[in-house]
Amino acid sequence: CSPTPTTLAMDTYRQRMTPVDLVQRVGQTTKDMEAGLKYLRDQLDDPTKFAEVGQDAIILSGLHAHTADSLKHIKNLYDETKYLKSYLEKLEAKAHYDVVMRRVQHRHPPWYRRILFVAGVTGAILYGWYKYDPEECTSRLTTWGTKGQELLASAYLYLSA
C-alpha cells in the first residue's frame, strides 16, 4: 500500500497544482538532488577542503548519518514512484478498456424513433406504389381498411362480452 504523504507535500498540493505539475516538480527535484550529490562527491574528493584531522572525522560522521537517512528516503521515494507507476498503468489500461467497450456497445434508438422509421418507410413504399399504379393501390388499401375495421369491431365485441 502507498505511504501517507507528508505535510509539506500536502501543502504543495493545496496550492492547486495539477498531478502532472506535481510529478514534474518531483522529477526536477530529484534531478537537482542528483546534481547536488555529484557536487558533494567532487568536494569530498578534494583533500584541500579539510583543514584538520579532527574536523574531518566530525564532518564525515555527520555526512555518514545524513547519507544513511537520505538513502532511506530515496528508497521510500523509489517505492512510492514504483507504486504510482503501476497504479497509473492500471488506470490507463482501464481507460483504454472503457473507450474500446464504449465503441463496441450498440446504442439502440428509442421506441418512438423506431415506430417513426417504420412509418416513414411504409409511407414511402405506399407513395411509390400509388405513383406506379394508383387504381390498384387505392382498391387494395380500401379492402385492407375494411378488413381492419371488421377485425377491430370483432375484437371489441369479444373483449367487451
Side-chain angles (χ1 to χ4, degrees), residues 1 8 42-43 46 49-50 70 72 80 94 103 109 111 119 121 146 157:
C1 197
L8 179 62
D42 291 341
Q43 293 294 315
D46 187 8
K49 297 293 180 185
F50 299 105
S70 295
K72 182 179 80 172
E80 183 67 29
K94 184 184 180 309
R103 285 185 197 155
W111 62 271
V121 169
T146 306
L157 288 176

Side-chain angles (χ1 to χ4, degrees), residues 5-19:
T6 63
T7 307
L8 179 62
M10 290 307 293
D11 288 342
T12 303
Y13 185 72
R14 284 188 192 116
Q15 294 173 359
R16 300 291 179 224
M17 291 181 63
T18 64

Side-chain angles (χ1 to χ4, degrees), residues 63-81:
L63 283 175
H64 178 71
H66 289 297
T67 304
D69 190 45
S70 295
L71 280 174
K72 182 179 80 172
H73 290 296
I74 289 170
K75 183 193 175 299
N76 289 343
L77 178 65
Y78 175 78
D79 292 342
E80 183 67 29
T81 306

Side-chain angles (χ1 to χ4, degrees), residues 34-146:
E34 183 181 1
L37 288 175
K38 286 180 182 178
Y39 176 75
L40 178 63
R41 187 175 39 186
D42 291 341
Q43 293 294 315
L44 290 175
D45 285 342
D46 187 8
T48 61
K49 297 293 180 185
F50 299 105
E52 302 173 7
V53 175
Q55 185 183 5
D56 288 351
I58 293 171
I59 291 174
L60 291 176
S61 175
L63 283 175
H64 178 71
H66 289 297
T67 304
D69 190 45
S70 295
L71 280 174
K72 182 179 80 172
H73 290 296
I74 289 170
K75 183 193 175 299
N76 289 343
L77 178 65
Y78 175 78
D79 292 342
E80 183 67 29
T81 306
K82 190 174 174 183
Y83 169 80
L84 181 62
K85 181 179 180 273
S86 68
Y87 182 72
L88 290 173
E89 286 173 350
K90 288 178 188 176
L91 284 178
E92 187 177 11
K94 184 184 180 309
H96 178 70
Y97 175 78
D98 289 347
V99 167
V100 168
M101 289 309 292
R102 205 172 280 146
R103 285 185 197 155
V104 170
Q105 290 176 349
H106 299 286
R107 296 186 183 217
H108 299 289
W111 62 271
Y112 60 87
R113 287 185 72 192
R114 292 179 186 185
I115 290 175
L116 287 175
F117 176 76
V118 170
V121 169
T122 304
I125 291 172
L126 289 175
Y127 180 74
W129 185 24
Y130 180 77
K131 285 293 187 182
Y132 178 71
D133 189 4
E135 292 176 8
E136 178 71 21
C137 178
T138 305
S139 66
R140 289 271 179 119
L141 288 177
T142 305
T143 305
W144 290 344
T146 306

